[in-house]
Amino acid sequence: MTKLSVNINKIATLRNARGGNVPDLLQVAKDIQKFGANGITIHPRPDERHITYQDARDLKNVVYTEYNIEGNPQHNFIDLVLECKPDQVTLVPDAIGAITSNAGWDTVKHQSYLKEVVQEFQRNNIRVSIFVDPIEAMIDGAKETGSDRIELYTEVFAHQYGLGNQTAIEPFVKAAIRANELGLGINAGHDLSLDNIKFFKDNIPNLLEVSIGHALVSESLYLGFENVVNMYLNKLK
């Protein structure tokens, strides 16, 4: 079964919009795990506009499933990850001020830098995943960095699938096959939802984990977290 890691950034966004501690981020993380999710993902950004660095520290004592921290490996982020020691770190090439992630790494151009970062995290027993577009050269580059996994950036698939274009899955299938050949684990995330997750999962060989935040939280406004988490788990079987 493909694991479900729930990104709780949007819970922090809602909390920060009003100040105070409503909704309680830590309690939501506890509840999501209780409802059956296999992990919790956060993506702290330099301006801390949703998840704060202190949230990352506090969640360390709350997450008993898999703890995944995403972000651009700048100095402050690297220090935070080494302090928190999550189960997995996902390296994402976010531009400062970007609303959300909008591209994978160029693992050829940035290979030397990524290799250093990957080694630093692995020395601290943290599994490393690199966020990439579904391009075989980028998969090959990720392998050369020594990364344990890749995370396929799925926005293009999700958008095209919503327009009825199921052939949008094809480059992701090719990328997954290449990753399997190279011995890289496969994660995926970005704009995956209840509408498209089963089709994606059924077509990607050896998909280990999906990270879903915006859609899952939005769907939960209508259906409730417990229902939605279990709907995803059923589709991922």
Side-chain angles (χ1 to χ4, degrees), residues 170-185:
E170 292 175 1
F172 294 88
V173 174
K174 291 179 181 177
I177 291 171
R178 183 59 178 157
N180 285 325
E181 290 172 349
L182 295 173
L184 285 167

Side-chain angles (χ1 to χ4, degrees), residues 210-230:
V210 292
S211 175
I212 305 178
H214 182 80
L216 189 150
V217 172
S218 298
E219 291 154 348
S220 296
L221 292 175
Y222 290 91
L223 302 172
F225 275 115
E226 185 169 9
N227 287 334
V228 170
V229 166
N230 281 280

